[in-house]
Amino acid sequence: MDNICAIATPYGKGAIAVIRCSGPNSIDLVNNIFKGKDLTKVKGNIIVYGHIIKDNELIDEVMVSVFRSPRSYDGENSCEINCHGGVYITNLVLETLLNSGFRMAEPGEFTKRAFLNHKMDLTQAESVMDVVNAESKLAVKSSLNALSSNLYNLISSLREEILNILAQIEVNIDYPEYDDAIEVTHEYLIPKISDIKKKMENILANSQVSRIIINGIKTAIVGKPNVGKSTILNMLLGENKAIVSDIAGTTRDIVEGQVRLGDISLNLLDTAGIRDDSDYIESIGIKKAKETIEEADLILLVLDLSRELTTDDFKLLDLVKDKKYILIANKSDLEPKWQREDVLIISAKNNLGLVELQKKIYDVLKINEFNATNPSLNNIRQKQLMESSLKSLTEALNSCYNLVDISLIEIDIKEAFDKLGEIIGQAYPEELITALFTKFCLGK
């Protein structure tokens, strides 16, 4: 296997930069450009002071951490060089390493090697970047939970239950003469499959909140023209990012922004006002707004409290009825013309109602009910595989009720087993693994 290296700290000026090196000969190669204690003779998990040299010329004063296989991040011999953090000096040390026998690591290659060397499962590997990118306390907790093998253990437990069922079916089919074998009937399968199915549904339910906490809540601000959508966007962002005017149809495209509200991030989308209109350009914006509604995790439907509700308002209510949404009655600084019990009354112009809106978002998305210590699926890949596995189990269960031949039911159960295996990196295609780890930064 090749010896690889990469800068593991952010690019730019800083007190310290870390360059990670790994591979079967990595300690020897670093030792060749290191002046100080002989790195090849030191024990693992130790830090050594010295200098990086090139052609007998001193490059930098460094501290080198030495890790010996298998007690390292990726399970291979490795070193981490702590050098001064200037851009020039860091690149000079990196260049010296590349000229001494290392090659530049591909994105995510260190973590990929950790996975291939069985230092972590696929869910742990994916959670590494979740921890790095976490922007809230809850996001960190959820990511660390996956990193600590809790999700792996849960998925493995489900697979073990399914495997026991498959084993019993195989014994019945291949060795019917065994009197001690459990007879696998539809009545035997129904409670066992139902129990596993319920556990998977609970995981998916908890994962819905986990994913939006980690990735941010895609939030669409929708409403008729001139109800104050852009003013609400600016209120949430704390800046005048969207153009505000009294002219209907000012927003003709999607205006984006991100804001932190406590332990969550809102990825805000201020959409064009939705109405029946002949203006061609505005109609394109309206079409995009409707598409955004379909993709959003949360809808903030804005109504104008100072004007009577119209047919367009009720059309919007019907459009979002199957989504998670919050009704916002804006312009409370003006004389109200209607009232409803299910609306949040604010005045975006006077910056009133932000605290109440945050509480409402937490309630609608059940953020306060989320338990970050429960294992959850933190990305789309894991979620889709779990849903696919659940679908196969559901089909198997339905087949049991319909008294389908058990040898055919086994096919769906086996499919469920394989999909769960893909979540944790067992029974995986090589192309999938390569695609996943290219999303990582170089130093990981």
Side-chain angles (χ1 to χ4, degrees):
M1 187 171 286
D2 292 346
N3 299 284
I4 59 174
C5 66
I7 300 172
T9 44
Y11 188 78
K13 293 183 179 180
I16 300 293
V18 177
I19 302 176
R20 177 176 280 175
C21 310
S22 181
N25 308 116
S26 59
I27 297 176
D28 297 278
L29 293 176
V30 172
N31 192 60
N32 291 339
I33 61 170
F34 180 75
K35 185 178 181 180
K37 186 178 292 187
D38 189 343
L39 299 180
T40 64
K41 296 180 180 178
V42 302
K43 296 180 179 179
N45 299 315
I46 194 170
I47 300 177
V48 181
Y49 168 80
H51 296 83
I52 297 296
I53 57 173
K54 179 182 180 181
D55 299 328
N56 294 319
E57 180 182 351
L58 183 120
I59 299 297
D60 193 22
E61 183 181 33
V62 299
M63 300 289 290
V64 178
S65 302
V66 178
F67 305 93
R68 295 191 178 277
S69 175
R71 299 179 62 191
S72 66
Y73 176 77
D74 60 5
E76 300 180 6
N77 288 334
S78 64
C79 292
E80 290 184 358
I81 301 174
N82 295 264
C83 62
H84 289 95
V87 173
Y88 174 77
I89 195 66
T90 304
N91 284 330
L92 187 57
V93 174
L94 179 64
E95 180 183 343
T96 304
L97 288 166
L98 293 173
N99 290 333
S100 69
F102 286 96
R103 69 164 173 83
M104 184 69 77
E106 298 173 357
E109 189 169 0
F110 293 98
T111 304
K112 179 181 179 180
R113 291 188 177 197
F115 167 72
L116 294 175
N117 290 330
H118 308 292
K119 295 292 291 185
M120 59 178 67
D121 71 90
L122 197 52
T123 60
Q124 288 177 297
E126 289 177 309
S127 69
V128 170
M129 286 310 298
D130 288 335
V131 173
V132 172
N133 295 324
E135 296 183 351
S136 71
K137 184 177 180 180
L138 280 178
V140 170
K141 280 187 175 182
S142 182
S143 301
L144 286 175
N145 188 36
L147 191 57
S148 64
S149 296
N150 288 345
L151 180 57
Y152 173 83
N153 292 336
L154 181 59
I155 299 298
S156 295
S157 176
L158 291 173
R159 294 186 85 224
E160 186 66 28
E161 291 183 53
I162 296 175
L163 187 60
N164 288 336
I165 295 174
L166 291 171
Q168 294 293 345
I169 294 174
E170 286 296 320
V171 169
N172 274 232
I173 294 174
D174 295 337
Y175 305 100
E177 69 275 10
Y178 280 12
D179 295 332
D180 293 337
I182 297 173
E183 183 182 0
V184 179
T185 62
H186 298 101
E187 290 75 16
Y188 171 84
L189 289 176
I190 287 173
K192 290 189 174 296
I193 295 176
S194 297
D195 182 59
I196 299 171
K197 180 173 175 287
K198 184 176 181 180
K199 291 176 182 177
M200 293 169 67
E201 289 170 342
N202 289 338
I203 295 172
L204 283 168
N206 191 62
S207 301
Q208 178 66 23
V209 181
S210 175
R211 282 192 310 103
I212 62 176
I213 286 175
I214 290 176
N215 301 320
I217 303 163
K218 193 170 185 179
T219 308
I221 306 175
V222 301
K224 292 189 310 184
N226 208 27
V227 296
K229 299 185 301 299
S230 296
T231 308
I232 291 174
L233 173 66
N234 290 337
M235 178 182 76
L236 289 167
L237 293 174
E239 60 177 301
N240 294 324
K241 186 167 184 175
I243 300 173
V244 176
S245 81
D246 293 330
I247 302 173
T250 301
T251 303
R252 293 183 175 227
D253 205 346
I254 308 295
V255 181
E256 300 187 7
Q258 186 178 61
V259 64
R260 285 291 309 283
L261 289 180
D263 283 325
I264 59 175
S265 295
L266 300 184
N267 301 322
L268 295 168
L269 303 173
D270 174 28
T271 61
I274 298 179
R275 66 177 180 183
D276 294 329
D277 197 281
S278 59
D279 185 289
Y280 175 70
I281 301 300
E282 187 177 353
S283 67
I284 296 175
I286 292 171
K287 180 182 178 181
K288 290 175 69 175
K290 290 180 178 179
E291 292 173 352
T292 302
I293 288 175
E294 290 301 314
E295 298 173 4
D297 300 310
L298 176 68
I299 310 295
L300 303 182
L301 176 52
V302 185
L303 306 173
D304 188 342
L305 190 62
S306 68
R307 297 183 180 181
E308 295 289 348
L309 295 178
T310 67
T311 302
D312 285 337
D313 289 311
F314 289 108
K315 285 182 179 179
L316 285 170
L317 284 166
D318 186 63
L319 193 63
V320 304
K321 66 180 181 181
D322 295 325
K323 303 283 294 183
K324 291 185 183 297
Y325 67 92
I326 296 173
L327 291 182
I328 298 176
N330 189 30
K331 304 186 182 181
S332 64
D333 48 297
L334 302 176
E335 182 181 352
K337 293 297 177 65
W338 55 270
Q339 62 180 10
R340 288 174 61 123
E341 293 183 357
D342 59 343
V343 298
L344 176 67
I345 298 176
I346 72 168
S347 173
K349 178 181 179 181
N350 295 329
N351 204 31
L352 298 176
L354 182 57
V355 174
E356 292 77 9
L357 178 57
Q358 176 179 335
K359 183 179 183 302
K360 190 71 173 177
I361 291 172
Y362 270 58
D363 290 341
V364 169
L365 296 176
K366 300 181 179 179
I367 301 298
N368 291 325
E369 298 178 17
F370 174 68
N371 186 348
T373 62
N374 289 335
S376 57
L377 311 166
N378 292 339
N379 59 52
I380 292 294
R381 184 194 73 86
Q382 296 171 1
K383 176 177 176 289
Q384 288 180 339
L385 285 170
M386 178 65 78
E387 288 175 339
S388 180
S389 179
L390 180 60
K391 180 181 178 182
S392 294
L393 271 191
T394 301
E395 290 175 355
L397 187 61
N398 291 337
S399 295
C400 286
Y401 285 120
N402 293 324
L403 303 180
V404 174
D405 188 274
I406 289 178
S407 62
L408 297 177
I409 296 174
E410 183 187 18
I411 297 174
D412 286 326
I413 298 176
K414 180 66 165 58
E415 180 72 15
F417 178 81
D418 289 341
K419 292 299 181 183
L420 288 177
E422 286 187 44
I423 294 176
I424 57 178
Q426 297 181 12
Y428 53 87
E430 177 62 28
E431 294 82 2
L432 169 66
I433 300 305
T434 300
L436 282 172
F437 287 105
T438 55
K439 298 178 183 178
F440 281 63
C441 55
L442 284 174
K444 280 294 179 185

